[in-house]
Amino acid sequence: MDMLPERINLLEGKHIILGVTGSIAAYKVVALASRLTQAGAQVDVIMTDAAQKFVTPLTFESVTGRPVFTRIWDSQGYSGMPNHIAHVGLGEGADLFIIAPASAHTLAKMAAGMGNDLLTLTTLAADCPILVAPAMDGTMFSHPATQANLETLRQRGVIVIDPDEGRFASGLYGKGRLPDTTTLMGHMRLVLGRSGRLSKAKVVITAGGTREALDPVRFITNRSTGKQGHALAQAAIDAGASVILITTSEQPIPVGVTAVPVQTAQEMLQAVMEHIDDTDVFIASAAVSDFRPAAIAEQKIKKASLPEGPFSIEMDRNPDILLKIKAYRQETAIPRVVVGFAAESENLVENAKAKLHAKGVDLIVANDITETDSGFGADNNRVVIFDGGGGEQRVELATKTRIAEVIIKRISRILSRKKAQ
Ligand code: CTP
């Protein structure tokens, strides 16, 4: 049951132009067009002649459900407009224009202000943000001409997505590979979200299960994967926030997020305190271990050194990060909004409400960790959000993306209310 449709609030109803040029990576953006469409965006694809050597327009038409634009003078109309002004119609109504993959040739034409095909012509007519994702052999990417063209485009406000390093179709290694679909979407989300409800707000999020070392090879941890915390970081970016994610998790870091990797509860607390002073919103989604081994053995604990029968390991209490933030907030009134999580295996409502008050938070997000289709490690979650006023919002089984959007929306409402006071 991991496959709920991946709708994304930010992309719902957005008009996106995807310009595809002649690069072997053209086949990869079929997945991008598909994911954007599934997320709720209206995707209009423009292909150059060279792009059509790699992928056919029919492929993109099939995944977007919309006609694909290929030539300036062909018989397609756009929204009933005469064909020859398709570029203006496309460019004007769009929320974002991404050229991916962007070949060296198309980048050169854009830098020179040429418009001899529908794609470059539309870039000239567009009044929305333009992103380019260069994809070409490493030698072509590092060529001074390409670098100068990219610099020219940057100076004109075009956002250049840095290509990845790796192996090319030619067999060579270098920098110039098209980033994966999630990364491309991440760059688009960063741009589309920047004037959102949390623009100018700083959000600090903790995520993942802490790891408390016993010796150089062993640690005590829990089943948290950090998926919900990383989804919250993405949802905060979608809302325009600047985001610091203090995480133990190996989950991908959303584009635009500043990640602070940590392992233990003590390291997490230290990182939180280092970043808290100008924070508007603190979200404690991490599963922080309440205890740690009292001592960390310098060398691996050998079996022979252990007693034959049962034995015990001495533990120490870990700091409670949320309680530290509660104390800090009582002194400074910072952060303005604090959100905690409650992972419960019994008496969810009572325990969550008790934590809401004990931890001094504005919202507590409770999930029942005994459910098998949600919670730890799953892509979906089912939560109840409690607020200080006694309110209770039940969110039925949904993707962690959707749950994160609901939480961020609640947070932005509280923040704007507090700012207005
Ligand atoms: N939390 C924290 N520091 C800790 C333990 C928990 O900041 N040392 C935060 C978690 O990130 C979460 C909230 O407190 O937002 C509740 O965590 P949870 O593990 O559910 O509760 P505990 O405080 O550990 O309480 P209990 O052991 O009674 O469940």
Side-chain angles (χ1 to χ4, degrees), residues 11 13 27 51 85 92 94 125 160 173 212 238 250 283 311 322 389 406:
L11 291 168
Y27 79 90
I85 56 163
E92 269 184 354
V160 178
Y173 281 82
E212 310 293 341
D238 286 359
E250 307 289 321
I283 310 175
F311 64 94
L322 261 183
V406 172

Side-chain angles (χ1 to χ4, degrees), residues 84-305:
H84 60 284
I85 56 163
H87 59 287
V88 181
L90 277 169
E92 269 184 354
D95 294 292
L96 184 142
F97 189 171
I98 179 167
I99 296 132
S103 65
H105 185 62
T106 292
L107 291 170
K109 287 204 290 185
M110 284 174 71
M114 288 168 70
N116 65 342
D117 59 27
L118 186 60
L119 195 157
T120 49
L121 201 57
T122 308
T123 64
L124 292 171
D127 58 5
C128 62
I130 299 178
L131 282 74
V132 294
M136 62 198 75
D137 252 336
T139 43
M140 291 170 73
F141 180 69
S142 61
H143 193 285
T146 306
Q147 288 302 316
N149 290 332
L150 287 171
E151 194 43 43
T152 303
L153 292 173
R154 269 192 209 100
Q155 277 170 15
R156 280 191 212 136
V158 172
I159 295 153
V160 178
I161 301 174
D162 213 25
D164 286 348
E165 280 181 37
R167 185 186 168 280
F168 294 102
S170 62
L172 297 172
Y173 281 82
K175 185 172 177 177
R177 283 173 56 86
L178 189 72
D180 63 37
T181 303
T182 303
T183 305
L184 294 175
M185 283 177 75
H187 285 279
M188 298 169 77
R189 293 167 80 162
L190 187 61
V191 174
L192 286 168
R194 62 190 171 194
S195 55
R197 300 156 175 267
L198 286 182
S199 64
K200 300 193 192 75
K202 178 180 164 188
V203 177
V204 173
I205 302 172
T206 64
T210 58
R211 294 173 172 182
E212 310 293 341
L214 258 169
D215 70 12
V217 284
R218 302 181 179 95
F219 52 77
I220 292 175
T221 189
N222 55 65
R223 296 179 58 210
S224 165
T225 57
K227 277 186 186 168
Q228 187 63 76
H230 284 228
L232 279 161
Q234 178 66 69
I237 289 285
D238 286 359
S242 78
V243 182
I244 294 182
L245 179 62
I246 299 167
T247 181
T248 65
S249 169
E250 307 289 321
Q251 292 290 315
I253 305 297
V255 174
V257 166
T258 304
V260 182
V262 294
Q263 294 277 318
T264 66
Q266 287 171 304
E267 285 170 13
M268 189 172 271
L269 172 64
Q270 194 185 342
V272 168
M273 296 322 287
E274 272 166 23
H275 289 96
I276 207 69
D277 60 349
D278 52 352
T279 294
D280 299 287
V281 179
F282 176 64
I283 310 175
S285 80
V288 185
S289 175
D290 293 317
F291 43 81
R292 63 174 185 275
I296 305 174
E298 253 174 57
Q299 306 296 334
K300 184 183 169 195
I301 299 168
K302 302 296 280 181
K303 195 162 50 196
S305 72

Side-chain angles (χ1 to χ4, degrees), residues 70-89:
T70 53
R71 283 187 298 277
I72 307 177
W73 310 112
D74 66 15
S75 58
Q76 302 154 339
Y78 179 74
S79 309
M81 278 177 281
N83 313 323
H84 60 284
I85 56 163
H87 59 287
V88 181

